[in-house]
């Protein structure tokens, strides 16, 4: 398995698609790994050099000492691009992955063709809610939050009709290292780009789930109002809209990337 060895830990990544095709990088949410993008990678790798990686503290990437910061996680991406000799990429990130995307667009815009910000916000949740979750996970492990997370990530209808997908996501959450998850929670807790994102000049698409209680459609509209020329799409899904509304999500993504 390919890893990027850094001075402060390793980053696990995966490549697919034609080597000479334009590069598209996917960034996962808290509590998942690069497999969350399977529905998109299987389609997009026909036309793009798809790069997926496990965010620090998740999947097979190193669980280094926390708390993490969004800037730190964005630097991981740039170091991965440098290692892979990718001068510019298309970027698609969900939740914390979207927060990383905003940071990259502000600090390393020259490395990005376009960005897709999914189920995210420049400020997600409150300090109190994140601290409560961190404490809950420290005391009870991932099992203490998994049911609540699944209820926020998928609509009740989808949960009842797609038990295999729900179980797969459950196992992904349960396998997430506690220290990595807690450190990632702290990164989201401390990030606030509500004022900064008006400085983004990279072509941007925002995708939100109509039933997302975490990063609501109102959050998506706020991002759209702050970034010049940004476009937004709302899908019939909750937080993990790339899985619950996979076909529609992939269509919107393809349309934007090729447009």
């Amino acid at each position: 398995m390919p890893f990027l060895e850094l001075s402060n830990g390793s980053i696990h990544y995966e490549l697919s698609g034609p080597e000479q095709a334009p590069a598209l990088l996917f960034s996962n949410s808290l509590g998942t790994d690069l497999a969350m993008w399977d529905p998109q990678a299987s389609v997009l790798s026909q036309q793009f050099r798809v790069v997926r990686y496990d965010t620090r503290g998740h999947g097979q990437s190193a669980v280094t000492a926390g708390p993490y910061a969004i800037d730190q996680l964005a630097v991981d991406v740039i170091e991965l691009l440098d290692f892979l000799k990718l001068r510019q990429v298309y970027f698609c990130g969900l939740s914390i992955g979207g927060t990383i995307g905003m940071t990259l667009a502000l600090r390393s815009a020259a490395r990005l063709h376009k960005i897709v910000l999914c189920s995210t916000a420049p400020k997600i949740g409150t300090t109190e809610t994140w601290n409560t979750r961190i404490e809950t996970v420290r005391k009870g492990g991932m099992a203490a939050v998994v049911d609540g997370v699944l209820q926020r990530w998928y609509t009740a209808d989808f949960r009842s009709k797609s038990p295999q997908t729900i179980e797969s996501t459950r196992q992904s959450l349960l396998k997430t290292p506690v220290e990595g998850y807690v450190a990632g929670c702290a990164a989201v807790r401390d990030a606030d780009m509500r004022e900064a994102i008006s400085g983004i000049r990279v072509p941007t698409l925002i995708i939100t789930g109509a039933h997302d209680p975490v990063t609501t459609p109102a959050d998506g509209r706020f991002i759209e109002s702050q970034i010049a020329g940004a476009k937004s799409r709302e899908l019939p899904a909750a937080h993990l809209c790339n899985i619950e509304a996979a076909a529609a999500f992939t269509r919107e993504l393809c349309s934007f990337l090729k447009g």
Side-chain angles (χ1 to χ4, degrees):
M1 279 178 248
F3 289 87
L4 165 60
E5 297 295 339
L6 303 172
S7 60
N8 59 346
S10 60
I11 299 297
H12 172 240
Y13 67 92
E14 182 177 293
L15 301 172
S16 59
E19 289 188 16
Q20 302 306 315
L24 167 61
L25 185 142
F26 286 102
S27 185
N28 58 285
S29 69
L30 276 173
T32 66
D33 58 24
L34 58 77
M36 72 165 284
W37 296 109
D38 282 352
Q40 285 69 50
S42 62
V43 176
L44 273 298
S45 60
Q46 298 174 35
Q47 303 169 61
F48 291 88
R49 182 62 163 169
V50 171
V51 183
R52 293 187 284 170
Y53 74 103
D54 293 332
T55 301
R56 180 183 294 271
H58 289 66
Q60 298 180 64
S61 289
V63 182
T64 55
Y68 302 156
I70 295 297
D71 286 353
Q72 173 188 12
L73 302 180
V75 168
D76 286 345
V77 173
I78 294 301
E79 294 198 6
L80 178 60
L81 297 185
D82 289 344
F83 175 73
L84 296 174
K85 296 181 171 55
L86 295 173
R87 187 180 65 83
Q88 241 183 356
V89 297
Y90 295 92
F91 180 95
C92 179
L94 191 146
S95 200
I96 189 176
T99 311
I100 293 169
M102 291 180 230
T103 302
L104 290 168
L106 287 166
R107 307 202 170 188
S108 304
R111 307 300 296 269
L112 304 172
H113 291 298
K114 296 179 178 180
I115 58 172
V116 184
L117 307 175
C118 318
S119 300
T120 192
K123 175 65 177 173
I124 302 176
T126 66
T127 299
E128 293 74 19
T129 58
W130 285 113
N131 284 343
T132 297
R133 188 183 304 188
I134 287 170
E135 185 64 20
T136 300
V137 172
R138 284 201 184 281
K139 289 181 178 179
M142 294 301 296
V145 297
V146 65
D147 288 336
V149 171
L150 289 172
Q151 289 174 14
R152 293 189 295 271
W153 279 7
Y154 299 112
T155 62
D157 183 62
F158 186 82
R159 294 197 306 272
S160 67
K161 293 179 179 178
S162 306
Q164 287 185 311
T165 298
I166 301 307
E167 183 57 26
S168 176
T169 305
R170 179 187 296 277
Q171 292 306 316
S172 177
L173 282 161
L174 291 173
K175 287 187 295 185
T176 301
V178 165
E179 289 304 319
Y181 184 80
V182 164
C185 286
V188 179
R189 177 196 64 195
D190 298 338
D192 187 350
M193 290 182 281
R194 285 174 289 187
E195 295 184 7
I197 61 169
S198 60
I200 293 176
R201 296 292 180 266
V202 180
T204 302
L205 172 67
I206 303 109
I207 302 180
T208 59
H211 311 294
D212 186 354
V214 182
T215 51
T216 66
D219 290 317
R221 291 191 291 271
F222 175 76
I223 300 173
E224 182 181 20
S225 73
Q226 297 300 300
I227 300 176
K231 302 175 182 178
S232 68
R233 298 291 184 268
E234 190 174 304
L235 302 180
H239 194 56
L240 291 195
C241 57
N242 76 299
I243 296 176
E244 182 166 355
F249 184 100
T250 303
R251 282 196 303 271
E252 295 293 351
L253 180 58
C254 289
S255 177
F256 177 68
L257 296 180
K258 295 177 187 177

